[in-house]
Amino acid sequence: MERAVMSRHLLLLTAAIAVIGANSLALSPIAAAVAGAFPGRSAADVMTATALYGLATAGSALLLASMSDRIGAEHALGRALLLLAVSLGFAALSPALWVLIAAQALAGLAAGVALPAIYTLTAQVAAKGRESETLSFVLVGWTLSLVVGVGLAALLADLLHWRAVFSVLALAAAGLALGISRCRDWGTRAGGEEPSSCLKALRIPGIHAVLLNVAAYMTAFYGLYTYLGPHLGEVLQLPATFAGLAIAVYGLGFGVAAPLGRLVDRYGATAAACVTFAGLMLMYLGMAVSAALPLALLTLCLGWGVGNHLGLNLLMRQLAELDPMQRGAVMGLYSAITYLCVFAGALLYRPIFTHFGFAACAWASAMLVLPALGWALGQWRRKQAALE
């Protein structure tokens, strides 16, 4: 019975990530159709909504995520999903582009609270000794949003209308909010009498090193991911379907890595971190060497997805274990940095891609993973010294 309850919790959390991720990714493939509904507007104008969504998510995660520590992560998640459902409803009904943009900004506020709450609840419900396996299961939600969500959004826009995309997502968010409110036994709520905050969480010993690793790691990913499509389409002159296939292969790799979480629990996070970050560096270097070889890049995208899943798992697990009493605030910092890196990666990698090409971008990503590898090796050496 206990296992069935935990499975229900994890399915709800995975679905919540999938819905949030689908909304953040769905606008790009349907931007042209959305622009057609608003005379005088272009697809680029529509993508302003995505930019504000990202900024709102980062700001919300930084300022509001700590409410998970005050009212309980399950209550924070339920309210955030209700707000997400309302904002997506407004997006579906928007009579003008500015309403859609405002609705996506409101959705970003909801996502900034929901994502840290999801990660907090994942840590709460995980059985002892199965933390990485549990987190890997929930992270599959990002694969669902990338592979299924984006494709389904394009299909709905073609068969029905782009407004149907946001209508379906709004109904899904409302249904998940109801499901989470009816679920019990979310584990022990970690929280003190004094409300925590992200600024207070910055005083936790050891958090700065991990957050710097997260920032470098996320910049490495988003910077290269942003210019993968332009490289394949503009430089290699490949059809858009090939770029879509590359993203799908990455998502597949991210998804198939989920069962590997149990190996992290079995052999230890320190050893797994050394292998994972070294392997991810090799993937980036391989992409630099094979930048002009489409099939090789496609193959490496699979390994990239596997490595990125495990790397995220290890960094998030490290953050979650720093201070369970302030887990919501800590995960808020993680989410804020993640969404800021979406912009930082695109901004910093643009001159590299323009002047030196995709290979240089891949090499830069490899170097940005180097701090995480150095940190992992340092942890491993300290562990070995303690055993001697």
Side-chain angles (χ1 to χ4, degrees), residues 8-384:
R8 186 165 64 251
H9 289 158
L10 294 182
L11 286 173
L12 285 169
L13 296 176
T14 304
I17 281 188
V19 169
I20 294 168
N23 176 60
S24 68
L25 297 167
L27 200 55
S28 179
I30 65 173
V34 175
F38 305 116
R41 298 293 189 172
S42 67
D45 294 329
V46 172
M47 292 310 292
T48 303
T50 298
L52 285 182
Y53 171 88
L55 287 175
T57 302
S60 175
L62 194 61
L63 299 174
L64 302 177
S66 58
M67 73 168 59
S68 293
D69 300 319
R70 296 196 296 269
I71 66 174
E74 65 274 25
H75 298 302
L77 178 57
R79 294 176 188 181
L81 286 172
L82 280 176
L83 179 60
L84 181 65
V86 171
S87 63
L88 292 176
F90 278 124
L93 298 172
S94 53
L97 182 58
W98 72 266
V99 178
L100 176 64
I101 293 173
Q104 282 296 317
L106 188 62
L109 293 178
V113 174
L115 289 171
I118 290 169
Y119 300 141
T120 299
L121 289 171
T122 302
Q124 285 182 196
V125 302
K128 189 172 180 58
R130 297 177 62 187
E131 293 86 355
S132 287
E133 181 182 355
T134 305
L135 182 56
S136 283
F137 185 94
V138 173
L139 286 176
V140 170
W142 289 112
T143 297
L144 293 174
S145 67
L146 188 66
V147 178
V148 179
V150 174
L152 186 60
L155 185 63
L156 283 173
D158 285 339
L159 294 180
L160 298 175
H161 197 277
W162 64 264
R163 296 183 188 275
V165 175
F166 296 113
S167 299
V168 170
L169 289 174
L171 289 173
L176 286 169
L178 181 62
I180 286 166
S181 67
R182 289 186 173 181
C183 257
R184 299 291 182 266
D185 302 320
W186 282 102
T188 303
R189 190 178 94 181
E193 295 180 0
E194 295 183 6
S196 62
S197 69
C198 289
L199 291 177
K200 180 182 176 182
L202 285 172
R203 298 199 293 266
I204 298 172
I207 194 172
H208 294 127
V210 186
L211 289 178
L212 285 173
N213 288 332
V214 168
Y217 186 92
M218 289 301 188
T219 302
F221 168 70
Y222 282 111
L224 195 65
Y225 182 84
T226 299
Y227 294 100
L228 175 62
H231 172 69
L232 294 174
E234 296 175 4
V235 179
L236 300 185
Q237 295 294 303
L238 295 168
T241 51
F242 191 91
L245 179 62
I247 293 172
V249 168
Y250 167 83
L252 179 64
F254 196 94
V256 299
L260 299 179
R262 67 185 63 179
L263 297 180
V264 177
D265 294 323
R266 184 181 304 170
Y267 296 107
T270 304
C274 294
V275 174
T276 297
F277 295 130
L280 193 56
M281 277 192 69
L282 290 176
M283 288 297 161
Y284 282 132
L285 291 173
M287 294 174 84
V289 172
S290 58
L293 305 172
L295 292 180
L297 280 177
L298 198 64
T299 303
L300 287 167
C301 280
L302 184 68
W304 185 21
V306 172
N308 217 38
H309 182 118
L310 291 173
L312 279 177
N313 185 311
L314 290 160
L315 288 171
M316 291 172 63
R317 175 174 173 171
Q318 183 74 12
L319 283 171
E321 292 175 351
L322 284 175
D323 187 350
M325 299 292 285
Q326 300 183 71
R327 192 173 279 148
V330 170
M331 287 304 167
L333 287 170
Y334 165 81
S335 295
I337 288 173
T338 296
Y339 277 88
L340 287 174
C341 285
V342 175
F343 295 93
L347 184 67
L348 295 174
Y349 274 58
R350 182 171 183 175
I352 300 175
F353 179 73
T354 301
H355 297 293
F356 304 104
F358 183 79
C361 292
W363 185 87
S365 291
M367 294 304 101
L368 284 171
V369 176
L370 193 57
L373 178 59
W375 165 75
L377 289 171
Q379 296 272 42
W380 182 78
R381 289 195 194 98
R382 281 191 287 273
K383 186 176 181 180
Q384 294 301 309

